[in-house]
Amino acid sequence: RLVDDVDLWVFVFKHFGKGFMKSVKQSPDAYIQVSFQLAYFRLYQETVPSYESASTSQFQLGRTETIRASTPEATAFTHNMDRNDISNETKVQLFKDAVAAHVKYTREVQ
């Protein structure tokens, strides 16, 4: 059975949570989605096409739409985050741009 071939690791992150993300005026969802992109890039040195679901149930006959997490802004962030020739200020701005793009795309499907 395929389910017998699945490993699950649970990692509890206690350093900060959504309260911090909100305190720096960042969407927790977008913050995490961009962070997932960075984690994948660090592991495999490539950007993966990924998405998350978005509900449009507030509309008559609303269904589930998708939000692409691998935006050009997220790609720019992930490809530059670990470069030594990029300033920390620029990296922070690239992160903010990636988060803002994700929020924009999320609002467009809702």
Side-chain angles (χ1 to χ4, degrees):
R1 291 181 14 170
L2 186 59
V3 73
D4 293 332
D5 194 33
V6 175
D7 292 328
L8 175 66
W9 296 3
V10 177
F11 177 76
V12 178
F13 184 81
K14 295 182 180 183
H15 301 288
F16 63 87
K18 72 178 180 179
F20 167 75
M21 297 171 210
K22 289 181 176 186
S23 76
V24 294
K25 300 187 181 351
Q26 300 297 315
S27 158
D29 172 64
Y31 191 106
I32 295 300
Q33 290 297 327
V34 172
S35 298
F36 285 157
Q37 291 293 313
L38 178 61
Y40 189 91
F41 184 78
R42 283 179 168 170
L43 286 170
Y44 302 105
Q45 290 73 52
E46 66 180 358
T47 302
V48 63
S50 61
Y51 70 92
E52 67 173 305
S53 63
S55 174
T56 59
S57 62
Q58 69 269 28
F59 300 106
Q60 184 178 7
L61 305 176
R63 301 186 303 198
T64 301
E65 291 294 333
T66 59
I67 303 165
R68 297 289 174 190
S70 52
T71 63
E73 296 85 357
T75 299
F77 167 67
T78 59
H79 284 94
N80 288 292
M81 182 59 190
D82 293 328
R83 289 181 50 184
N84 294 326
D85 61 329
I86 304 288
S87 71
N88 286 342
E89 292 80 14
T90 299
K91 292 174 184 180
V92 168
Q93 189 58 54
L94 288 169
F95 179 76
K96 288 180 178 180
D97 293 346
V99 169
H102 189 83
V103 169
K104 177 182 175 277
Y105 298 135
T106 301
R107 288 188 177 138
E108 287 176 355
V109 300
Q110 293 180 334

